[in-house]
Every structure is written in structure tokens, then in C-alpha cells.
Amino acid sequence: MQKFKSAPLPFQGQKRNFVKEYSEALKKFPVDATYVDLFGGSGLLSRVTKDVHPEARVIYNDYDNFSARLKAIPQTNLLLAKLRQITAPVARQSKIPIDLKNRIIEAVKTHESTFGYVDYITLSSSILFSGKYATSFKELSSSTMYNTVRKSDITQAERYLEGLEVVSKDYKEVYQQFKSDNTVYLLDPPYLSTDTATYGSDKYWKLKDYLDILELLEGSKYFYFTSNKSSIVELMEWFETTTLVSNPFKWSTTTTRENPVNYQHKYDDIMIYKQD
């Protein structure tokens, strides 16, 4: 049976670099627990959890409607094939000239008119600069394009969500719905001060949002993901030493991995987990 080490489609912030460490850490947790992926994103954490603990109940909160993108893979492959034809004269990684860009824009417009849907995030990874995503036709058509089009079709992912219970609600509602002594929460929220447009939201993820999440960690078993961009771990240590506020990360285990965004930028991803 196929084991997924990354999501089938591009997703900002998916934890493919942490799959090995996460899988090993999961083995320390109950095989029959209920695992609740509050910020489901690409569903990768949910998928890996179900693969490591097949008997566990795994709740995937698909707030960003990633499942719709999975269903659209056949149509997305048709569009990518068209883009490969259009960009054939352009060297890899090179800027796409305006005449070919206009042909791409027309192809996307026709595709959306025909199928009623375009996976703009997947499309972005093939024609925009590394790490840049458009979420609408307007954003895509106004962006500088580069030839990074996939050379082959996206592999079908029929079993990617197999065995998962898929919901789509605000994370606070999901937290309350599945709260129990046998629940392990998976928390991979957008990074602090990050544009969350690709997460199905039109706002930036701010400090207050982060602090609201940390309230949920108190007394819970969890996996929590952040980065050195947020400084949230240092903030909690400061609160603990200068106020009466308890630190939800105290007695937890921390693992870090360097994560390159493109050839110019990189940062450290952080995984923190606590068993009891």
C-alpha cells in the first residue's frame, strides 16, 4: 500500500520535511487515540497519522477545501499538458514572454469556463516564481510568469484521504467537538504574520490568533508546529519567567529542520510534542 511522504499537490507550509521525525514521534502515542488535525491544510499530517496508527480515529479538518483540489487532478493535468505545449520554446526557469503569457491566460480562462474550476495554487507552482502563489485569475494574470511547468502529469491520489474523517469547520469548533482524554491534537497553524490567502482566508495570522491556540494546549496531548519566524516559543518562555502565566510547551519535546523556500531564503521549521 502506498505511503505518502508528501501531499499530492503543492500546499504552502505542508510538513513533508517532517514526515520521518513525525512518524517516529507518533509511535510514542496511543495506537487507539483520536487524532484531530485542527488545521488540516494539505492533509499530510492526517494521512501519515493513519498510516502509522491504522486503528486510530483520525479527524482531518479540511477548512481549505484541499479535497476539491484532489478531485480536480484529472482536469488540472489537462491544463498542465496545454501549458507544456505553450511553453515548449521557453528555456526552463526562464521568464515567459508576453505573447506566450497571453496564450497561457487564454488557456486558463477557457479551462475555467469549461470545467468551472481552476486549481490556481497547483498552477502557480508551474508558472510563477518559486514560493509565489496566486489564488485567482486576476492575481495569476497580473503576475510575472516563468517556465517551471511540470514535465509529467500529477499522479492520481485516490487513497490519500482513505480512512480519514473529513470535516470542514472553524478549528475551535472542531476542538470542542472531539475533546476527550483520549484525544491528541495536531496543530499546524499558518505562521505568524503570514498571508493566509492560500489557506482559504483573507487575513494575516496575527499574534492574538496564536495566543488563542496556545490556550488549547493546556492539559492536552498535542503536536504543535511553528517556525523560528514566529518566536512564539521564546514568547512563552518569557511569559513563564516574568508573569504567572504557565508555559504550555514546558516538558515537551522539540525537533527542528531547516526548510528552504527558494535559493535565496530558508528558515527553521519546529515540531513540538507533548504526551501528557
Side-chain angles (χ1 to χ4, degrees), residues 61-74:
N61 187 22
D62 185 20
Y63 189 74
D64 305 302
N65 205 13
F66 189 76
S67 55
R69 295 177 58 202
L70 293 174
K71 291 178 183 177
I73 286 177

Side-chain angles (χ1 to χ4, degrees), residues 144-271:
T144 302
M145 296 183 182
Y146 297 84
N147 182 16
T148 57
V149 181
R150 287 180 61 102
K151 295 181 180 180
S152 60
D153 284 350
I154 301 165
T155 303
Q156 297 298 315
E158 289 86 355
R159 72 162 295 271
Y160 186 67
L161 300 181
E162 187 176 292
L164 308 182
E165 296 181 40
V166 182
V167 299
S168 182
K169 302 177 182 178
D170 182 88
Y171 78 90
K172 294 180 182 178
E173 185 178 348
V174 178
Y175 171 84
Q176 291 296 336
Q177 181 178 348
F178 296 100
K179 186 176 182 180
S180 77
D181 292 337
N182 197 38
T183 297
V184 179
Y185 291 105
L186 315 179
L187 301 102
D188 182 21
Y191 292 140
L192 185 63
S193 299
T194 294
D195 184 353
T196 58
T198 60
Y199 294 97
S201 174
D202 59 356
K203 65 177 184 177
Y204 278 77
W205 199 256
K206 298 178 182 177
L207 180 59
K208 181 183 181 301
D209 301 303
Y210 254 89
L211 296 179
D212 285 344
I213 293 172
L214 296 183
E215 280 192 295
L216 309 184
L217 301 184
E218 191 67 36
S220 299
K221 295 184 286 290
Y222 63 82
F223 281 86
Y224 181 84
F225 294 85
T226 184
S227 79
N228 62 347
K229 293 180 180 180
S230 71
S231 299
I232 198 71
V233 176
E234 291 86 350
L235 178 62
M236 288 298 97
E237 291 172 350
W238 181 87
F239 272 127
E240 185 180 32
T241 56
T242 59
T243 72
L244 297 178
V245 175
S246 61
N247 181 359
F249 300 132
K250 192 173 184 179
W251 313 120
S252 63
T253 303
T254 300
T255 303
T256 62
R257 280 190 67 94
E258 187 175 88
N259 184 27
V261 177
N262 51 49
Y263 70 93
Q264 291 179 317
H265 302 288
K266 59 186 177 181
Y267 60 91
D268 287 338
D269 261 334
I270 302 171
M271 177 178 74

